[in-house]
Amino acid sequence: MTGVTDREQPGDVRLGRAGKTVRVLVAVVGIGLLINGSVRASDDAWPFGPMSQYAGSVADDAKIDYTRISALTDAGTTVDVPLNIEGAGVARAEIEARAGEIVKNPSLLQQVADGWARKHPDQPKYVKLELIRDTTQLVKGRVEGPPTSQVLATWEVRK
């Protein structure tokens, strides 16, 4: 096999100038979107939004906040609302990003109840929702006691 080196095999096709140009342009555009998203955008620009949620570590003596929604159902039970698309139709990141708005206007929680009812018509309905912040204290990198909970907003669900 004359003319075939160790790197090339019979049947290999070389990428042409146009193919290389397209690949470089796609890479440059992707990197540009990531930089723009990290500098100017919010989580709404996902997957090109800020990557700050992956960029840091927690200090040894820090507070870790966890936001959740608790619901009282028409069956008399209290449950944590599953904050994902399959659960109530809203992701935890959306709730955390809008927590300040929800505190000012608890009626925004109505969307969570409506999403749950629409996605789970055979399950107990939510009658009251609470936006709760659980805080865990770290001391020297270890959890210090149980988390403390603070109710940030309450909403009586409209039927």
Side-chain angles (χ1 to χ4, degrees):
M1 294 191 147
T2 346
V4 177
T5 66
D6 289 339
R7 294 175 55 196
E8 293 181 27
Q9 299 295 320
D12 282 354
V13 177
R14 290 186 166 258
L15 188 60
R17 182 176 295 244
K20 288 179 184 176
T21 301
V22 168
R23 287 182 180 197
V24 168
L25 285 173
V26 168
V28 168
V29 168
I31 291 168
L33 286 169
L34 286 171
I35 290 170
N36 177 62
S38 293
V39 172
R40 298 180 32 199
S42 69
D43 288 337
D44 294 335
W46 188 89
F48 300 108
M51 305 243 176
S52 58
Q53 62 185 325
Y54 306 109
S57 61
V58 177
D60 285 347
D61 296 321
K63 291 181 179 180
I64 301 170
D65 291 327
Y66 177 80
T67 305
R68 64 187 173 91
I69 297 176
S70 179
L72 175 64
T73 70
D74 59 4
T77 58
T78 301
V79 297
D80 276 343
V81 175
L83 295 176
N84 54 48
I85 300 305
E86 297 82 21
V90 61
R92 179 175 312 286
E94 292 179 64
I95 296 299
E96 290 175 347
R98 298 186 69 194
E101 292 175 58
I102 295 169
V103 169
K104 290 177 187 171
N105 183 7
S107 69
L108 293 172
L109 291 172
Q110 182 67 41
Q111 297 170 8
V112 174
D114 294 344
W116 173 261
R118 187 174 48 256
K119 289 181 165 284
H120 306 279
D122 56 333
Q123 297 293 317
K125 306 295 179 259
Y126 297 155
V127 295
K128 180 180 176 185
L129 295 172
E130 292 181 331
L131 178 68
I132 299 171
R133 178 186 302 132
D134 292 329
T135 302
T136 300
Q137 179 67 51
L138 297 181
V139 176
K140 296 182 181 176
R142 301 210 182 268
V143 174
E144 181 79 10
T148 58
S149 297
Q150 177 185 10
V151 176
L152 303 174
T154 302
W155 177 249
E156 299 285 336
V157 176
R158 285 182 253 136
K159 306 240 184 236

